[in-house]
Amino acid sequence: MTNHDEAAGSSGPGDTSGSGCDGREPAVHSGHDPSVGLPGELQVTLRTPAELADALPYLLGYRPEDSAVLVALHDGEKRGGFGGRARLGIPAHPDDWPSVAERLAHGLVTGSERRGSRPGHMIAYLVQEPANGETGRDVMERLRPLAQLLRTACGRLDVPVVEALCISDGRYWSYCCPSPGCCPPQGRPMGLPGTSVLAAAATYAGLQVRGSLKEFRARLTPRETTAALDQEAALDAASLALVPRILGEGTREEVAARTLELAELVMARFAEAPSVSGTLSADLRDDDLLAHDEAAALILGLQDRTTRDRAAEWMEGAEALLALRLWRALARRCVASYGEHAAAPLTLAGWVAWSTGDELEAREAFAMALGADPDYLFARLLHQACNEGLDPESVRRCLRSERAGRGTQESDEAAGAGETADGTGETTEGRPVTTPPGGAAPPLAGPARSTDPERVEGSDRPAGARPVSGGDRPAHRSADIPTTAEAPHRRPADGPGRGGGPRRRAEAATSGFTRPARPTRPGRPAPHRRPARPARPGIRRGGAGRRADEEGT
């Protein structure tokens, strides 16, 4: 079973005192008006199961499907108040129902206690559409044991369920009302969405129902189209090319830098795209802007924990909205056997949604990430923190600190860099550097600014510079070579072609030491050496010529 807790925040769109049936006194606080409090002073009275059934989408913020939901009620002086909510998918097999009931009841009660208020009562909802050949009443009877399990699980925690409702096929049933006069066996029809008093009050208060749970998940679920085959082939190719480099100590940082730079490139492309109306149209537009090889390189690159944590820093302002679009698009590209790889982009999508105040999408994304990989610790920790109503600002402060510290380090390194000494490399703090030997490793898809993992934040390529692509190696990707000033007791090894290299010039410039040339054998041409600066007057450099000078002296 891959269902996961989805406890909502501390309070919903108001207060309630419970439910009654067709004018009966409410079940929670008889003698007081049951009401729902909306932002401000607006109050809405809930008296019947019909009104409670209509209130469910406003309590969750979306229309649940195939869901078991518990809503906590907190007692007040005159009326009760809606507290936390918890949702789990209804398992297909009844053997899993006891565990679902226990998890819902225990999770909601303990979560409410951590937030400082133990619930006094519960309302239970079971929402499921009929399968082939079923009616709404068949669904209600089939789910009756689950409703009883929810009531007994809450009862063991001394939090009674005052109303349990089943919603199916446009009708609702009460499991708690024994009167066929007010709750007939065939159920009662639900009102038209958006026509109740609560719907009108919620609209006035600025609250809205953001579609169905299926629509939420569709934005994060791979689509089964013919393009999925091309995406799977691109993932196979990227896996063969990138996984060994991610696991290698010498190439891991380079892959991380290229991954983040490619993500920035795609986000910039998203920013330039024209806006469209509707979530489906917007997602299709983003899918068209993301190539298969780019998506594969990003999905594989984000499997590295350090790279993923760096990507999590795009969490505020305009870049957060662009990052969220990218993480959604990548989650939709984790097709076929790469479903487990979706845990990283799903968790990043949940984190950005939570950081920007959208707890609904955040909880669903975290739950889907844990469904893809139940052991994904990053998703589990963020999911728990979100469910417990913690403030994401503590996580944001940590990521801001990491980003600022890295930016300071890069600034210091850039300030210490000198100008190019010659065509062979750059001079950093008086030391010449050269490009390491060997061909360049295969790059990730898309252009990159730098293969240096310490130069990935912001845009470090000067204006007008040619982007690096294919097998090109950036000119500033170089390795420091130690000089004799750093190691004065080590003498450079001789070899053809090394006399005029950067290391020999560095020795002459830093230590004043000049190594005399070796004598050559008769009949053998002397190796080519660039003349070095004389160490002292009167001494000429060069094989046989030097010996003649010494004999003359």
Side-chain angles (χ1 to χ4, degrees):
M1 183 177 64
T2 59
N3 296 292
H4 298 280
D5 292 340
E6 191 184 285
S10 58
S11 62
D15 302 320
T16 184
S17 66
S19 66
C21 289
D22 291 345
R24 292 189 306 154
E25 290 297 326
V28 177
H29 295 294
S30 63
H32 298 290
D33 287 337
S35 61
V36 170
L38 296 166
E41 299 298 326
L42 189 62
Q43 299 287 327
V44 176
T45 299
L46 300 181
R47 295 185 180 276
T48 68
E51 292 170 339
L52 281 177
D54 181 71
L56 179 59
Y58 298 95
L59 295 176
L60 296 178
Y62 59 88
R63 295 187 297 274
E65 299 165 326
D66 291 332
S67 300
V69 181
L70 282 180
V71 178
L73 297 176
H74 297 275
D75 295 339
E77 274 188 30
K78 295 184 179 180
R79 57 177 64 88
F82 280 126
R85 285 83 69 199
R87 188 206 67 86
L88 280 177
I90 298 176
H93 203 288
D95 290 345
D96 292 326
W97 291 356
S99 64
V100 167
E102 291 292 337
R103 289 171 60 189
L104 275 174
H106 183 269
L108 184 53
V109 171
T110 56
S112 298
E113 289 176 338
R114 280 194 296 268
R115 289 189 291 269
S117 179
R118 180 180 176 85
H121 303 85
M122 293 282 193
I123 299 176
Y125 295 87
L126 297 177
V127 184
Q128 191 174 75
E129 290 304 304
N132 293 334
E134 274 191 323
T135 65
R137 182 176 179 180
D138 294 335
V139 173
M140 183 271 294
E141 293 294 346
R142 178 168 53 81
L143 296 180
R144 187 182 292 274
L146 178 55
Q148 184 61 28
L149 288 169
L150 288 170
R151 298 176 71 181
T152 55
C154 293
R156 283 193 291 269
L157 297 173
D158 295 327
V159 185
V161 173
V162 296
E163 184 60 278
L165 299 175
C166 178
I167 301 173
S168 179
D169 198 22
R171 305 180 76 86
Y172 70 89
W173 289 261
S174 171
Y175 291 113
C176 297
C177 179
S179 173
C182 62
C183 296
Q186 67 271 21
R188 287 191 177 274
M190 296 279 295
L192 292 177
T195 60
S196 66
V197 176
L198 177 59
T203 302
Y204 177 79
L207 301 175
Q208 61 178 343
V209 178
R210 298 172 51 194
S212 66
L213 184 59
K214 182 183 295 185
E215 293 170 348
F216 266 92
R217 289 177 171 171
R219 308 197 72 183
L220 303 170
T221 303
R223 298 189 175 97
E224 296 180 0
T225 63
T226 55
L229 298 177
D230 296 333
Q231 184 61 69
E232 185 177 13
L235 285 165
D236 289 338
S239 180
L240 292 175
L242 295 181
V243 170
R245 296 171 60 195
I246 293 175
L247 298 177
E249 291 296 331
T251 54
R252 180 177 179 179
E253 292 183 356
E254 183 178 349
V255 173
R258 293 290 184 91
T259 300
L260 295 169
E261 196 161 350
L262 177 58
E264 289 179 331
L265 175 70
V266 176
M267 289 164 58
R269 193 183 304 157
F270 284 177
E272 296 171 357
S275 59
V276 296
S277 60
T279 58
L280 179 59
S281 299
D283 291 343
L284 291 175
R285 173 204 57 195
D286 292 345
D287 289 341
D288 291 338
L289 294 173
L290 182 62
H292 292 310
D293 57 341
E294 292 175 328
L298 289 170
I299 290 169
L300 269 297
L302 289 175
Q303 304 309 305
D304 176 57
R305 180 183 61 82
T306 303
T307 307
R308 179 208 64 200
D309 291 349
R310 292 277 296 274
E313 295 172 359
W314 300 326
M315 58 186 175
E316 296 174 295
E319 69 176 3
L321 301 179
L322 295 172
L324 182 56
R325 290 168 58 184
L326 177 58
W327 307 144
R328 289 184 189 135
L330 293 180
R332 295 192 295 268
R333 298 297 187 92
C334 296
V335 299
S337 59
Y338 290 89
E340 190 173 296
H341 289 67
L346 284 170
T347 305
L348 288 172
W351 158 240
V352 175
W354 184 34
S355 178
T356 54
D358 189 351
E359 294 186 7
L360 299 179
E361 182 170 0
R363 281 191 292 272
E364 189 58 35
F366 292 146
M368 293 179 67
L370 291 172
D373 184 358
D375 298 324
Y376 203 66
L377 183 59
F378 190 41
R380 186 171 295 281
L381 293 175
L382 290 178
H383 193 205
Q384 180 179 356
C386 183
N387 283 343
E388 293 181 359
L390 300 182
D391 189 350
E393 179 59 25
S394 58
V395 184
R396 286 196 294 259
R397 281 197 299 267
C398 179
L399 291 175
R400 289 193 203 105
S401 176
E402 290 287 335
R403 191 173 189 175
R406 190 170 57 255
T408 301
Q409 180 181 359
E410 292 171 1
S411 299
D412 292 343
E413 292 176 356
E419 297 180 355
T420 302
D422 53 28
T424 61
E426 298 177 348
T427 300
T428 303
E429 298 178 350
R431 297 173 304 189
V433 295
T434 59
T435 302
L444 296 175
R449 293 192 302 271
S450 170
T451 58
D452 191 340
E454 296 299 325
R455 300 183 64 178
V456 297
E457 283 299 325
S459 178
D460 58 337
R461 186 173 66 233
R466 182 176 64 88
V468 180
S469 61
D472 295 341
R473 178 179 295 276
H476 63 263
R477 176 61 174 171
S478 54
D480 288 349
I481 297 178
T483 66
T484 51
E486 295 172 330
H489 300 294
R490 297 182 58 188
R491 300 180 64 180
D494 289 320
R498 294 182 63 102
R503 184 169 180 172
R504 185 64 55 83
R505 292 197 305 276
E507 291 170 352
T510 56
S511 65
F513 172 78
T514 304
R515 180 187 174 97
R518 290 184 178 181
T520 58
R521 297 180 182 178
R524 193 172 190 177
H528 171 72
R529 300 181 185 273
R530 178 180 293 184
R533 187 168 55 190
R536 59 180 183 269
I539 300 295
R540 292 186 306 171
R541 302 301 174 188
R546 179 179 177 179
R547 289 199 303 275
D549 289 346
E550 292 174 350
E551 291 172 358
T553 303

